[in-house]
């Protein structure tokens, strides 16, 4: 077990409230606390527009609260480290966001998140709160063509928050937002690779043991095992293998317009991520695909895990417009807009 003193923390059971307190103090023009472990926009949008809400454990910063802001999320409900928030806290957030236009709840496909979301939505519906869920399942480590219910939600949820947030800001209805989001859901795929595991910041425990010189393609959100361990290979070989698997899943055709995002998960430098992006871009280009939206950023981390997530999506024209052209002002995602 690792020495817990390697992290700059105070009391282990105070990590989540203290990190959120610091976060909203740093970005007061964009976010504030709307309740215990509930992050909301500092300047709420008009209640005639659908609210976009999500939930998830802490320890993955900046996800998911880093994307609360104009043109993105209206509310993020935060659980303890690597743990879903309880249904009661999520229900409290849904009460805060109640409006005639309704609420769209983005849920990553993890058992705790799904359970909390289902229970909170049942409570909300009894109170007359109009809420619908959209479940993300972009991880392909369960196998090419695996049932959506068996695929985990990874960092592909963040571009979805940008798309849905922009569409909601534009005044799209709850039903229209679900259609826009599901089209993206059906055309996105994510694959994670790790070469060193993270530790749990509350107890120092190592999530997965990865020997030196070994990598694992298919790691989960918290460092859970995936597709099997193999010797570490070069950036180019890793990127080429991952692009091939992702394209097998979403089956893009020559001429399709694509999104390519490299998400660093905590201990992989931007130097390495840029080298990976370069090769992945060229691999997509060689297939006759046009990368129209790219990003290299730590958007969802796993403490000090070494590795990255590669996110690839076929983009429809409205998705491109929402991603590239519509204003966003969240602490970790800013788009000036046209």
């Amino acid at each position: 077990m690792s020495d817990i003193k390697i992290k700059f923390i105070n009391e282990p059971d105070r990590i989540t409230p203290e990190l959120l307190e610091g976060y909203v103090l740093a970005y007061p023009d964009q976010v504030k606390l709307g309740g215990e472990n509930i992050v909301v926009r500092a300047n709420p949008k008009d209640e005639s527009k659908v609210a976009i809400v999500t939930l998830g454990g802490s320890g993955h910063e900046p996800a998911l609260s880093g994307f609360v802001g104009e043109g993105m999320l209206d509310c993020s409900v935060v659980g303890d480290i690597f743990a879903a928030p309880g249904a009661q806290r999520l229900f409290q957030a849904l009460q805060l966001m109640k409006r005639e236009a309704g609420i769209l709840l983005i849920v990553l496909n993890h058992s705790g998140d799904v359970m909390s979301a289902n229970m909170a939505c049942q409570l909300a519906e009894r109170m007359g709160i109009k809420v619908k869920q959209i479940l993300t399942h972009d991880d392909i480590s369960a196998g090419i063509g695996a049932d959506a219910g068996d695929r985990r939600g990874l960092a592909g949820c963040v571009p979805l928050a940008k798309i849905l947030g922009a569409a909601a800001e534009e005044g799209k209805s709850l039903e229209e937002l679900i259609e826009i989001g599901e089209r993206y859901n059906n055309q996105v795929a994510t694959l994670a690779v790790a070469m060193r595991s993270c530790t749990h910041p509350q107890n120092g425990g190592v999530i997965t043991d990865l020997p030196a010189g070994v990598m694992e393609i298919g790691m989960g959100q918290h460092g859970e095992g995936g597709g099997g361990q193999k010797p570490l290979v070069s950036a180019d070989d890793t990127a080429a293998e991952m692009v091939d698997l992702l394209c097998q899943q979403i089956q893009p055709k020559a001429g399709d317009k694509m999104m390519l995002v490299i998400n660093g998960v905590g201990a992989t430098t931007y130097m390495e991520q840029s080298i990976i992006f370069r090769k992945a871009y060229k691999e997509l280009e060689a297939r006759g695909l046009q990368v129209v939206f790219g990003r290299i950023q730590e958007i969802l981390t796993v403490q000090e895990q070494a590795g990255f997530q590669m996110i690839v999506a076929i983009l429809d024209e409205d998705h491109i417009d929402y991603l590239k052209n519509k204003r966003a002002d969240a602490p970790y995602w800013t788009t000036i807009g046209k």
Side-chain angles (χ1 to χ4, degrees):
M1 183 171 287
S2 301
D3 182 358
I4 197 66
K5 292 184 177 64
I6 63 171
K7 291 187 183 292
F8 289 107
I9 63 170
N10 298 308
E11 294 299 321
D13 61 357
R14 293 287 302 160
I15 291 175
T16 301
E18 288 183 359
L19 80 86
L20 292 176
E21 182 183 4
Y23 173 59
V24 300
L25 287 171
Y27 302 103
D29 294 338
Q30 294 154 305
V31 290
K32 65 181 181 180
L33 290 175
E36 185 181 353
N37 293 7
I38 298 173
V39 178
V40 299
R41 283 173 52 166
N43 302 296
K45 68 169 177 257
D46 193 279
E47 290 195 2
S48 65
K49 298 175 180 179
V50 175
I52 310 297
V53 177
T54 194
L55 71 152
S58 53
H60 298 297
E61 290 69 32
L64 293 161
S65 301
F67 309 106
V68 172
E70 180 185 350
M72 292 197 75
L73 297 169
D74 294 281
C75 176
S76 168
V77 187
V78 186
D80 206 353
I81 301 292
F82 299 165
Q88 285 295 333
R89 181 164 293 142
L90 178 56
F91 176 48
Q92 181 185 350
L94 296 177
Q95 290 174 294
L96 284 174
M97 293 290 118
K98 181 179 179 180
R99 61 198 58 209
E100 188 65 32
I103 301 167
L104 183 55
L105 178 61
I106 300 174
V107 183
L108 281 68
N109 192 18
H110 296 276
S111 58
D113 292 338
V114 171
M115 183 183 302
S116 290
N118 288 341
M119 292 175 64
C121 286
Q122 289 174 10
L123 293 171
E125 286 164 5
R126 289 176 196 160
M127 295 285 291
I129 299 172
K130 184 179 178 183
V131 57
K132 298 290 184 185
Q133 296 184 42
I134 186 164
L135 186 69
T136 72
H137 40 69
D138 48 310
D139 182 12
I140 68 166
S141 65
I144 305 302
D147 185 82
D150 295 328
R151 302 202 308 263
R152 301 172 289 205
L154 293 180
C157 66
V158 177
L160 176 63
K162 173 66 175 77
I163 291 167
L164 292 176
E169 209 80 55
E170 198 174 68
K172 296 291 186 185
S173 70
L174 186 55
E175 291 70 26
E176 288 172 321
L177 290 172
I178 292 170
E179 189 277 329
I180 291 165
E182 290 297 2
R183 268 194 288 116
Y184 169 89
N185 250 353
N186 292 330
Q187 298 175 161
V188 65
T190 301
L191 195 55
V193 61
M195 57 182 176
R196 188 178 73 241
S197 180
C198 71
T199 55
H200 196 296
Q202 287 180 313
N203 58 33
V206 176
I207 305 295
T208 299
D209 183 30
L210 277 173
V214 169
M215 68 180 194
E216 182 156 6
I217 293 179
M219 293 292 276
Q221 198 85 285
H222 311 96
E224 307 96 334
Q229 298 179 6
K230 59 187 291 186
L232 180 65
V233 297
S234 70
D236 279 3
D237 288 346
T238 303
E241 180 178 351
M242 294 176 75
V243 167
D244 183 60
L245 291 168
L246 291 164
C247 286
Q248 285 183 46
Q249 175 66 34
I250 60 175
Q251 296 287 308
K253 303 181 296 297
D256 279 346
K257 295 178 179 179
M258 307 294 292
M259 177 185 79
L260 172 62
V261 175
I262 302 299
N263 166 52
V265 292
T268 298
T269 64
Y270 279 92
M271 173 194 77
E272 296 163 272
Q273 293 177 57
S274 297
I275 292 169
I276 290 286
F277 187 98
R278 159 195 160 274
K279 178 60 173 176
Y281 186 103
K282 291 182 177 181
E283 287 289 314
L284 293 170
E285 193 175 48
R287 287 168 161 80
L289 305 170
Q290 181 185 2
V291 177
V292 297
F293 182 84
R295 202 170 185 95
I296 301 167
Q297 184 184 346
E298 287 191 330
I299 58 177
L300 189 158
T301 62
V302 194
Q303 294 299 297
E304 70 278 24
Q305 183 166 300
F308 62 91
Q309 294 180 14
M310 183 182 291
I311 311 162
V312 171
I314 303 166
L315 296 177
D316 296 331
E317 290 300 326
D318 58 343
H319 296 148
I320 297 169
D321 188 39
Y322 291 134
L323 276 170
K324 296 183 68 172
N325 301 329
K326 302 302 183 184
R327 174 177 163 80
D329 184 22
Y332 287 87
W333 193 303
T334 301
T335 306
I336 294 173
K338 295 180 181 178

